Amino acid sequence: MSNKNGILEVLCMVMKGPEQLCPARFFNELSNDETYVIYRHILESLETKTTSTVSLNINTNFLNSHHVDMLLSEFGRSIIILELLETCSLQSTIQIQNRLNEIRENPKVHIWLDDFGSARSNFDVLSELNFDGVKMSKELFWDLYENDKILLKYLIKMIKRKSSTIVIEGVDSFDRYIFCKEQRCMMQGYFFNEIRNSAVC
């Protein structure tokens, strides 16, 4: 991500023998205990290597569990961003609204909405809940960048009214980088890092 302070988003490649699996499907099938063990291992290994903010993608089920509290108590020295997955339903998200507010009371934690413009991540969710950050999906960004920049600029302004931070995903060229700089957005994409995950989800 483009940010002077540095934010590391934890991404993974899941292998089963020679076959690469879709990480989203893999994590969706894990129990909260199994997810906790993986996230704990990741945070533990990063703690001695970086002072950057770390971002983890999580679902409402994990957010609502005691495992989040365990992670935060063990790794309270770092700022942790919990990104609510775009596959979470509005109803399940609203049901844990109090839990989100409780977690947000920790000054070291930020709650973000992932992949705005895809799946269930949309204005319905933004109108019901407060987020510290919103990430715009690369598909929405690419489509509007190519076909309607005026609407894209307006959409960015609307999201900024609902959240203090907006991150544009899919920034993969210099012209898109300049556009996002002009809109004062944070960025993520292959323009900054060429590592690609080829697993089909």
Side-chain angles (χ1 to χ4, degrees):
M1 287 186 185
S2 171
N3 179 19
K4 293 176 185 176
N5 300 324
I7 296 176
L8 297 176
E9 180 176 13
V10 176
L11 302 173
C12 68
M13 184 179 293
V14 183
M15 304 298 295
K16 184 177 181 180
E19 181 186 359
Q20 185 176 344
L21 306 177
C22 168
R25 289 181 186 160
F26 172 78
F27 275 92
N28 195 44
E29 294 175 6
L30 295 180
S31 69
N32 285 337
D33 288 340
E34 292 167 328
T35 303
Y36 164 77
V37 169
I38 291 173
Y39 284 162
R40 187 184 189 285
H41 175 71
I42 290 167
L43 291 172
E44 198 170 49
S45 63
L46 287 175
E47 196 170 36
T48 57
K49 298 176 185 175
T50 181
T51 57
S52 297
T53 298
V54 177
S55 174
L56 302 171
N57 291 55
I58 56 176
N59 59 34
T60 53
N61 187 37
F62 188 78
L63 253 178
N64 205 28
S65 73
H66 68 281
H67 297 84
V68 171
D69 302 302
M70 291 166 62
L71 284 176
L72 297 179
S73 66
E74 292 175 81
F75 302 97
R77 286 177 291 169
S78 306
I79 292 177
I80 298 177
I81 296 171
L82 302 177
E83 292 185 28
L84 191 63
L85 290 170
E86 69 277 6
T87 53
C88 299
S89 71
L90 176 60
Q91 183 174 352
S92 68
T93 306
I94 290 172
Q95 286 174 349
I96 64 161
Q97 186 168 5
N98 291 337
R99 175 64 172 152
L100 288 172
N101 293 334
E102 178 186 320
I103 293 170
R104 192 184 279 112
E105 287 178 8
N106 184 328
K108 295 282 189 178
V109 181
H110 300 272
I111 307 290
W112 285 16
L113 179 63
D114 193 24
D115 274 346
F116 177 87
S118 66
R120 297 169 175 173
S121 181
N122 54 46
F123 277 115
D124 289 340
V125 179
L126 276 184
S127 65
E128 292 289 339
L129 300 166
N130 294 319
F131 292 94
D132 303 303
V134 174
K135 295 176 72 175
M136 181 182 290
S137 73
K138 65 183 178 184
E139 292 81 10
L140 178 61
F141 172 60
W142 287 347
D143 180 36
L144 292 179
Y145 183 84
E146 294 301 324
N147 300 306
D148 197 336
K149 284 194 181 76
I150 294 173
L151 178 57
L152 178 57
K153 289 178 183 179
Y154 182 70
L155 184 58
I156 289 170
K157 286 180 182 176
M158 287 181 67
I159 293 173
K160 282 184 175 182
R161 288 184 200 139
K162 298 291 290 182
S163 172
S164 58
T165 302
I166 180 169
V167 179
I168 306 296
E169 297 182 338
V171 178
D172 59 354
S173 63
F174 186 70
D175 61 321
R176 289 175 173 170
Y177 166 79
I178 293 299
F179 173 86
C180 292
K181 286 289 281 183
E182 290 172 345
Q183 308 311 309
R184 298 180 180 177
C185 299
M186 292 176 66
M187 295 167 254
Q188 173 182 325
Y190 298 143
F191 182 72
F192 307 99
N193 190 334
E194 287 296 328
I195 297 173
R196 299 172 185 242
N197 186 350
S198 58
V200 177
C201 294

